[in-house]
Amino acid sequence: MKKGLLILVLLITSINCNNRGPQNLVNSEFTNIENWIGIANDSTQLSINERQEFLARALQDILVLSNDSISLKYLSSASLTYKKLKDSSGFRSVNQKAMKMALNQNNNKILGESHWDMASFMLSYNVMDSAYFHYQKAYKSFNKLPVDSTSLSLNGRMLYSMGRIQEYFKDYLGAEKNIAEALRIFDDLDDNRRIYNCTNMLGIIAGGMNNSEKSLEYYKKAGDYIKKFKSSDKLEYSRQNRNNIANEFLRSEEYIKAENAYSELFTDNDLRLEKPSLYSKALASHGYAIFKGRKNISEASDLLSKAIRLNDSIEFSLDQARAKKYYAELLAVEGDTLKSKKYAQEALALAKETSNNDQHLKVLRLLTNMDSQNAVAYSNEFYELSERIKDEERAIRDKFARIRLETDEVIERNEILYRQKQVWTGVAIGLLLLGASIFVIVYQRISNNKLKFQQKQQENNQEIYNLMLSQQGKFEEGKQLEQKRISEELHDGILGEMLGIRLILSGLNDKEDEASVNQRAALIEKLRDLEEEIRTISHELNDAAYQKIYNFIVSLEDLINTIGKSSGISCSFVYTENVQWDNLDGDIKINVYRIIQESLQNCVKHAQCKMVNVSFVLENEQLELTIEDDGIGFDTTKGKRGIGLRNVTARVKKIKGTYTIISKKGRGTTIIVSLPANYTQLKDPKVFLERRQTVNV
């Protein structure tokens, strides 16, 4: 029957496609995709495998569409269908494709929905921290949408979902902040159902923080919103609300009030048939409230026994540990020690089986007081479990804090960039106005002089015009040279050092030992040096920048060792020791430093090498720099050279040197640079000594 239906659907689709003309070819493709996804999504009469086949066919057509926006729309729909079919591998794969495409297209709505789908998927597998991460990502994406009722509602739902996860891990302050913000949004939108959900969750959070009065206040507010619901929804939410109020009375040990609240809940005659699990939980709680409040052991025993039997009949193991723990406590008061221990041990086993840590701790505390022979073992287990739970909850809360901090840092960086952009825009406008003002002033003077000396001024005007053209040409030439120099400094110097620092910091990110802290402090100091170098470049202090390297060999060793440590490449450095390296011309020192830096960066980024040898020697009054790696090499006769090699060429030419690149695929690369050994002497030897000491501090 199913196969016949499958064949019929395919036949109808094929006929429809053949009847379409060329002008409707694109619409035909879209219709096919919609049909495949619709069949996979809605045809419950087909098997899961058959529905997956239709979805795979739709995905095949989606990936070859030329319209990226339409492709992204269908990809998002296919991802959700894979999730509905519980095809985890298919969902993950298509979801990642949708995320990547949405990010490339800057489609924040679908990007947010993709993260939302992934968060729901992680939540279904109880991977709470990953679910929180994707809810946070979805919130950031939805927050970039134009502000309207839809985007506000999406933001509120993400905040509510994050708050629920935080409450699960007892991050009550973070949960309260997110739920309160969601409540503000839904209150503005008059979304009564979600206002109820947020108010109810605030009641749960207040209970978790042992603020019973505040918890009951929130529950009563939530109950008021139920009155605004449609009649079909009121009953379910009313049951939940009354049970929450009764639970709070029980948790705060107001047993008489708890008994009355549960009795009111049982006036609902349909509760047992329609919500057996809720009925069973309320039944056990009602029995315990009677046991602890009115001390009526007989009535409480009947209710607890009934709850235990009902749990067994509906296979509701999640609450069975609590019911048996209550019953064990009652039996202990009756004096039936053996039976009490039996139920307590069964409750302990169920708590472990269902990973119910709260009940696990409560049963261990009960057994510690009940079983004197094994009290020490139970006490030790209680302590170890309690500490482990605290550590896990603390780790999760720290993770939530890091995720929030990273988000705040991104927002702060964007704000800084925006302010910088405004500053530079203001500077540019100011310079433009200044230039316009100068032009107007000059023009007015020329005009006035032209009126006074018309004949003579005509010749002067021509001379001035030629001079302006010449000056403009020199200005543009100087501007281009300066731009090129700054580009080389930024690319070869600052970017290289920042790459090394980033790689080291990535490795130190999760380390908290003293050595790591000291190393991070040293790297922060290097970042300050980079800040100083950027400031130097921006103020065009050319001579100071070029004379910055005083202890030349130490600087080279530090550069090579830093890049080696950060990249994992084995780097060696040899040099001629009897050369006065610090007396080399400033141009030679800074350009050699940058050539080595750029070459090592190329080794890290492209060469895939394990070892780099650097040598810098003096032979026949010529300096020879050799950089050799054992990487994959490249064909020097093919392809264009990147900006790095062009910068190396420009620097070698600037210091009147020559260089050769020797490389073959699979045989590594060798760069040989020959330079004239030009030296300079400081006028005052004390200045040299002071600079050398400054470098070695």
Side-chain angles (χ1 to χ4, degrees):
M1 185 69 177
K2 291 181 179 179
K3 290 185 177 179
L5 178 62
L6 179 63
I7 293 171
L8 179 61
V9 171
L10 290 171
L11 181 60
I12 292 172
T13 305
S14 175
I15 292 172
N16 289 338
C17 293
N18 291 334
N19 287 338
R20 293 185 177 95
Q23 66 275 16
N24 293 323
L25 183 59
V26 174
N27 290 334
S28 172
E29 288 180 346
F30 295 164
T31 303
N32 283 343
I33 292 171
E34 290 174 358
N35 286 339
W36 304 146
I37 294 176
I39 293 169
N41 195 46
D42 302 326
S43 299
T44 55
Q45 69 273 22
L46 299 179
S47 69
I48 293 296
N49 290 336
E50 288 171 335
R51 293 166 73 180
Q52 286 174 336
E53 288 177 10
F54 280 107
L55 197 54
R57 183 171 301 183
L59 185 61
Q60 186 177 3
D61 289 347
I62 290 169
L63 295 177
V64 297
L65 287 177
S66 57
N67 189 319
D68 289 341
S69 298
I70 300 296
S71 177
L72 177 57
K73 171 188 170 185
Y74 287 137
L75 204 60
S76 177
S77 182
S79 169
L80 198 59
T81 305
Y82 270 116
K83 181 172 177 286
K84 183 177 179 181
L85 296 178
K86 301 187 184 304
D87 184 345
S88 59
S89 60
F91 166 73
R92 282 175 176 270
S93 174
V94 178
N95 183 267
Q96 289 297 326
K97 287 184 175 68
M99 281 187 192
K100 185 175 181 181
M101 188 177 292
L103 192 61
N104 291 335
Q105 295 182 25
N106 201 26
N107 191 324
N108 290 308
K109 186 173 187 299
I110 292 184
L111 180 60
E113 289 173 348
S114 298
H115 280 294
W116 188 1
D117 292 342
M118 182 59 75
S120 300
F121 174 81
M122 291 297 179
L123 198 62
S124 67
Y125 284 92
N126 210 35
V127 187
M128 296 294 196
D129 52 347
S130 295
Y132 180 90
F133 172 81
H134 285 286
Y135 279 130
Q136 179 82 1
K137 286 285 189 180
Y139 173 73
K140 286 172 57 181
S141 298
F142 292 144
N143 209 29
K144 295 177 183 177
L145 296 175
V147 178
D148 56 21
S149 59
T150 301
S151 64
L152 287 173
S153 180
L154 290 171
N155 285 334
R157 279 183 270 181
M158 296 307 100
L159 288 167
Y160 175 77
S161 299
M162 288 189 287
R164 286 185 60 191
I165 295 174
Q166 288 171 297
E167 187 277 330
Y168 177 84
F169 286 106
K170 299 183 181 179
D171 180 13
Y172 295 124
L173 293 177
E176 186 176 41
K177 177 183 176 183
N178 282 331
I179 298 294
E181 178 63 18
L183 177 60
R184 184 190 63 77
I185 292 172
F186 295 135
D187 194 40
D188 291 341
L189 297 175
D190 290 327
D191 190 337
N192 291 322
R193 189 188 307 277
R194 293 193 172 93
I195 291 174
Y196 166 82
N197 288 335
C198 290
T199 309
N200 183 66
M201 183 54 64
L202 287 172
I204 295 172
I205 293 168
M209 292 190 289
N210 296 319
N211 190 340
S212 183
E213 182 180 352
K214 195 70 175 177
S215 177
L216 290 169
E217 181 183 337
Y218 279 125
Y219 287 141
K220 289 175 182 177
K221 283 183 180 179
D224 292 337
Y225 279 100
I226 296 176
K227 300 173 185 177
K228 302 178 183 180
F229 289 2
K230 295 179 181 178
S231 57
S232 59
D233 297 332
K234 284 183 178 180
L235 181 58
E236 180 179 353
Y237 285 99
S238 178
R239 288 167 173 170
Q240 182 190 68
N241 182 247
R242 283 184 289 173
N243 183 64
N244 287 343
I245 292 173
N247 282 342
E248 183 56 34
F249 282 133
L250 185 66
R251 189 198 62 79
S252 59
E253 299 182 357
E254 295 186 57
Y255 298 115
I256 301 300
K257 291 182 179 180
E259 180 186 350
N260 294 334
Y262 283 118
S263 296
E264 183 181 347
L265 183 62
F266 289 134
T267 59
D268 181 356
N269 296 324
D270 297 326
L271 180 62
R272 179 171 182 174
L273 293 176
E274 295 178 1
K275 294 289 181 181
S277 59
L278 177 60
Y279 179 82
S280 174
K281 289 172 66 176
L283 200 64
S285 300
H286 190 203
Y288 190 70
I290 292 172
F291 163 59
K292 298 294 286 187
R294 291 192 288 111
K295 312 296 183 183
N296 190 331
I297 294 177
S298 176
E299 185 179 353
S301 178
D302 289 341
L303 291 174
L304 288 170
S305 298
K306 186 177 178 181
I308 291 171
R309 290 194 300 272
L310 181 57
N311 284 338
D312 287 335
S313 66
I314 63 175
E315 297 181 352
F316 187 37
S317 60
L318 288 175
D319 196 57
Q320 189 71 305
R322 184 176 71 102
K324 289 193 174 184
K325 182 260 181 186
Y326 286 164
Y327 196 47
E329 193 174 341
L330 182 146
L331 290 170
V333 171
E334 281 188 319
D336 192 344
T337 306
L338 291 177
K339 197 172 180 181
S340 174
K341 287 182 182 179
K342 172 180 174 293
Y343 273 96
Q345 288 167 353
E346 289 177 1
L348 181 63
L350 283 168
K352 291 180 180 179
E353 181 182 337
T354 57
S355 299
N356 190 335
N357 289 329
D358 287 339
Q359 287 302 320
H360 192 169
L361 289 173
K362 290 177 181 178
V363 176
L364 285 173
R365 186 184 290 113
L366 177 64
L367 283 168
T368 301
N369 297 327
M370 182 188 301
D371 188 352
S372 58
Q373 293 181 348
N374 300 308
V376 175
Y378 289 129
S379 177
N380 291 337
E381 185 179 352
F382 176 88
Y383 175 77
E384 291 174 1
L385 178 61
S386 177
E387 290 301 311
R388 188 175 77 246
I389 292 171
K390 288 178 183 177
D391 291 341
E392 290 174 354
E393 290 175 348
R394 190 182 301 112
I396 292 295
R397 288 195 293 270
D398 291 345
K399 191 170 186 178
F400 291 159
R402 286 197 301 273
I403 293 172
R404 292 195 297 270
L405 179 62
E406 289 170 2
T407 302
D408 293 340
E409 287 177 348
V410 169
I411 294 172
E412 185 179 353
R413 284 199 299 269
N414 290 337
E415 290 177 351
I416 292 172
L417 290 174
Y418 177 73
R419 288 196 295 268
Q420 289 177 343
K421 183 180 179 181
Q422 286 183 317
V423 170
W424 283 110
T425 302
V427 171
I429 293 173
L431 291 174
L432 184 63
L433 292 174
L434 179 62
S437 300
I438 294 173
F439 177 78
V440 170
I441 293 171
V442 172
Y443 181 78
Q444 286 293 337
R445 288 182 178 179
I446 292 173
S447 298
N448 291 336
N449 289 333
K450 184 178 181 180
L451 292 174
K452 295 178 182 179
F453 310 103
Q454 186 173 8
Q455 185 176 2
K456 185 177 180 180
Q457 191 63 32
Q458 189 170 2
E459 297 176 359
N460 291 338
N461 283 345
Q462 185 65 37
E463 184 177 352
I464 291 171
Y465 178 74
N466 293 335
L467 180 60
M468 288 178 65
L469 287 178
S470 175
Q471 289 177 341
Q472 185 65 25
K474 290 181 180 179
F475 174 75
E476 290 296 329
E477 180 182 358
K479 181 179 176 182
Q480 291 175 1
L481 289 173
E482 186 63 10
Q483 287 176 342
K484 183 178 180 183
R485 183 187 71 78
I486 293 174
S487 173
E488 292 172 354
E489 289 295 316
L490 291 174
H491 183 275
D492 296 348
I494 296 169
L495 287 180
E497 291 192 33
M498 291 185 74
L499 172 64
I501 293 171
R502 180 173 65 80
L503 291 173
I504 294 175
L505 284 176
S506 296
L508 296 174
N509 190 37
D510 295 326
K511 297 180 180 179
E512 297 296 337
D513 55 281
E514 184 177 354
S516 299
V517 171
N518 293 335
Q519 196 169 0
R520 273 196 291 268
L523 292 173
I524 291 172
E525 197 62 31
K526 284 195 175 184
L527 287 174
R528 291 199 183 100
D529 292 339
L530 287 176
E531 179 185 355
E532 181 61 28
E533 189 166 351
I534 293 172
R535 186 180 292 110
T536 300
I537 292 172
S538 68
H539 291 167
E540 299 181 349
L541 301 176
N542 300 334
D543 292 337
Y546 274 73
Q547 297 297 332
K548 189 175 181 180
I549 298 179
Y550 308 121
N551 200 331
F552 184 47
I553 292 300
V554 172
S555 298
L556 291 182
E557 288 178 333
D558 185 60
L559 168 67
I560 293 167
N561 290 336
T562 299
I563 293 179
K565 289 178 181 178
S566 64
S567 64
I569 297 173
S570 175
C571 298
S572 67
F573 176 47
V574 297
Y575 58 94
T576 304
E577 295 185 354
N578 58 353
V579 175
Q580 296 181 350
W581 296 107
D582 291 334
N583 289 348
L584 286 173
D585 282 348
D587 281 350
I588 291 178
K589 288 191 288 184
I590 192 66
N591 282 289
V592 166
Y593 185 92
R594 298 304 189 207
I595 289 168
I596 293 174
Q597 190 176 46
E598 180 59 35
S599 300
L600 292 178
Q601 287 178 31
N602 287 338
C603 291
V604 173
K605 294 177 183 177
H606 309 299
Q608 300 179 21
C609 61
K610 297 181 179 178
M611 182 177 64
V612 178
N613 298 322
V614 181
S615 69
F616 196 20
V617 297
L618 178 66
E619 291 183 3
N620 300 324
E621 300 301 317
Q622 282 284 112
L623 295 173
E624 185 166 297
L625 172 64
T626 304
I627 304 166
E628 180 182 9
D629 69 67
D630 62 348
I632 61 175
F634 65 97
D635 190 348
T636 58
T637 63
K638 294 182 180 180
K640 296 181 179 180
R641 295 187 177 183
I643 186 171
L645 289 177
R646 291 201 301 271
N647 286 346
V648 170
T649 303
R651 290 186 181 280
V652 172
K653 185 177 179 181
K654 187 184 297 183
I655 53 180
K656 298 180 175 56
T658 61
Y659 89 115
T660 304
I661 297 178
I662 302 170
S663 182
K664 288 185 179 180
K665 288 188 175 181
R667 297 186 180 181
T669 301
T670 301
I671 297 177
I672 302 173
V673 181
S674 296
L675 310 168
N678 296 335
Y679 294 85
T680 184
Q681 292 290 339
L682 294 172
K683 294 181 180 179
D684 187 357
K686 293 182 180 179
V687 175
F688 176 78
L689 180 59
E690 290 174 357
R691 291 180 177 179
R692 186 181 186 91
Q693 290 172 343
T694 301
V695 171
N696 291 324
V697 169

